[in-house]
Amino acid sequence: MTLTVFFSAPAVWEEYRDLLPGLLAEAGIDARVVTEASDPAVVDYIIYAPSAPLQDFTPFTRCKAVLSLWAGVERIVGNQTLTQPLCRMVDNGLTEGMVEWVVGHALRHHLGMDRHIVNPGHVWDATCPPLARERKVAMLGMGALGTACARALAALNFNVVGWSRTEKTTPGIQAFHGEAGLEAALRGADIVVTLLPKTPETENILNAARLSWLKPGAFILNPGRGPLIDDAALLAALDSGQIGHATLDVFRIEPLPQDHPFWSHPRVTVTPHIAADTRATGAAKVLVENIRRSEAGEPLLHLVDRARGY
Ligand code: NDP
């Protein structure tokens, strides 16, 4: 029987239009891809993005899985009408993009590039930056993205420590986990990268007390989610000098409102949620592989734990 795959993200359909049907056919899957669910009861799989969110999954009575195009699933994970398995996106393009963003911004701060790029007074300041091995980087979140970024920074000799919910072993990276490990991970860190999902447990994880554990003048990179950081505590820590600079890609409200103090703060860099994008070429293969697995009765890739929230 021909499967019906509902692609519910019109904004990015153009990128997938020529890819998905061919990849489904190559995988031996007899499927038609539709962009309108005029009869939800015949839909077998939903491809989902939060930019055009489906609110009510109740009419999709035959749907076997919902496949997210995004890695972060905080906007769908608590949806009570969703009873089907939910898979998030893990793909090489997303990971490579995140590694490039994190490494680029970490090196900017590590090397103190700004003072040479913007130097209207032509100041000859010959202070050499320390070596990467002298900088402690705390990677909060050691999942698909955090682990890849930690490895890339460790390859540049940064002294990287990782922090996750459960115990993890990553060669070359000192690992901490759970509430008890957070202080050890953060204490004395020069750079903190937040690559955690937004869940009730991670909201405001970087609060005033934890920011005070970092080395004075530390740098924050947040490509995870806006609510991971207490905005008011961050602004206070920036004003006191405890935090030297914050480079933020994600915010509680996006686009970041024009009157938000982050826009005009001299030690905040705002990037507009561009750290890593899902690339259709890799993502389409992940989607097709999950449909193949589901049809074959095999375990799905990147299944979200609804109770855990990620
Ligand atoms: P994963 O699910 O692979 O990894 C999440 C990590 O966070 C895991 O190591 C997990 O621990 C850890 N974690 C979760 N909850 C806690 C907790 N309460 N305490 C300690 N550690 C915790 O996610 P990804 O790496 O794929 O993505 C991370 C996030 O990055 C996404 O959720 C999304 O918000 C963001 N993102 C941002 C993008 C952007 O462009 N700015 C693009 C893509 C993603 P454990 O390993 O023990 O489970």
Side-chain angles (χ1 to χ4, degrees):
M1 196 184 72
T2 304
L3 299 173
T4 300
V5 177
F6 172 35
F7 195 96
S8 75
V12 291
W13 171 237
E14 280 302 309
E15 299 168 38
Y16 291 83
R17 179 206 294 265
D18 296 331
L19 269 175
L20 262 182
L23 287 172
L24 285 161
E26 263 175 43
I29 300 166
D30 179 13
R32 66 189 182 114
V33 187
V34 298
T35 53
E36 297 287 337
S38 46
D39 183 2
V42 304
V43 169
D44 295 283
Y45 295 94
I46 298 173
I47 296 171
Y48 169 91
S51 45
L54 273 176
Q55 302 291 344
D56 185 8
F57 291 87
T58 320
F60 295 90
T61 47
R62 199 168 86 187
C63 178
K64 297 170 211 167
V66 174
L67 310 173
S68 172
L69 290 173
W70 284 36
V73 289
E74 70 278 3
R75 290 202 239 163
I76 183 177
V77 74
N79 188 320
Q80 296 297 319
T81 69
L82 177 65
T83 52
Q84 297 85 353
L86 169 66
C87 298
R88 61 192 206 90
M89 181 52 68
V90 176
D91 101 285
N92 290 344
L94 202 54
T95 307
E96 282 173 41
M98 187 60 81
V99 167
E100 291 175 19
W101 188 95
V102 167
V103 170
H105 288 281
L107 284 176
R108 169 191 169 195
H109 297 307
H110 163 58
L111 295 174
M113 289 182 191
D114 291 12
R115 69 201 163 99
H116 303 299
I117 293 170
V118 181
N119 186 6
H122 302 179
V123 177
W124 184 268
D125 175 0
T127 316
C128 242
L131 290 173
R133 70 177 76 255
E134 298 167 73
R135 301 264 201 202
K136 175 176 174 181
V137 179
M139 185 66 62
L140 303 190
M142 286 292 284
L145 300 177
T147 300
C149 293
R151 284 198 179 121
L153 291 168
L156 291 170
N157 286 336
F158 282 101
N159 168 21
V160 184
V161 305
W163 183 71
S164 48
R165 192 178 54 84
T166 55
E167 196 168 354
K168 288 225 141 46
T169 315
T170 310
I173 290 155
Q174 195 180 1
F176 297 97
H177 70 280
E179 184 63 34
L182 184 54
E183 182 166 356
L186 288 177
R187 185 65 76 181
D190 296 272
I191 301 176
V192 179
V193 184
T194 43
L195 271 167
L196 296 159
K198 179 196 173 281
T199 69
E201 287 73 38
T202 61
E203 186 149 4
N204 289 326
I205 200 134
L206 281 187
N207 58 19
R210 290 167 182 153
L211 290 172
S212 77
W213 295 341
L214 309 179
K215 187 180 279 183
F219 306 116
I220 306 279
L221 307 183
N222 183 18
R225 283 291 179 264
L228 300 178
I229 304 185
D230 176 336
D231 287 1
L234 176 60
L235 285 164
L238 283 158
D239 290 338
S240 75
Q242 170 59 16
I243 301 301
H245 198 106
T247 296
L248 310 172
D249 186 57
V250 282
F251 305 90
R252 285 165 197 273
I253 303 173
E254 294 181 7
L256 184 66
Q258 282 302 318
D259 59 353
H260 196 287
F262 285 157
W263 278 119
S264 50
H265 199 289
R267 288 198 301 284
V268 174
T269 298
V270 170
T271 63
H273 202 145
I274 44 86
D277 199 8
T278 303
R279 316 283 159 147
T281 344
K285 290 183 187 150
V286 177
L287 298 170
V288 169
E289 171 60 8
N290 256 342
I291 294 173
R292 188 202 66 72
R293 282 170 172 251
S294 172
E295 290 302 305
E298 296 173 17
L300 293 170
L301 297 172
H302 321 308
L303 195 61
V304 172
D305 181 329
R306 305 287 297 280
R308 225 172 44 181
Y310 69 99

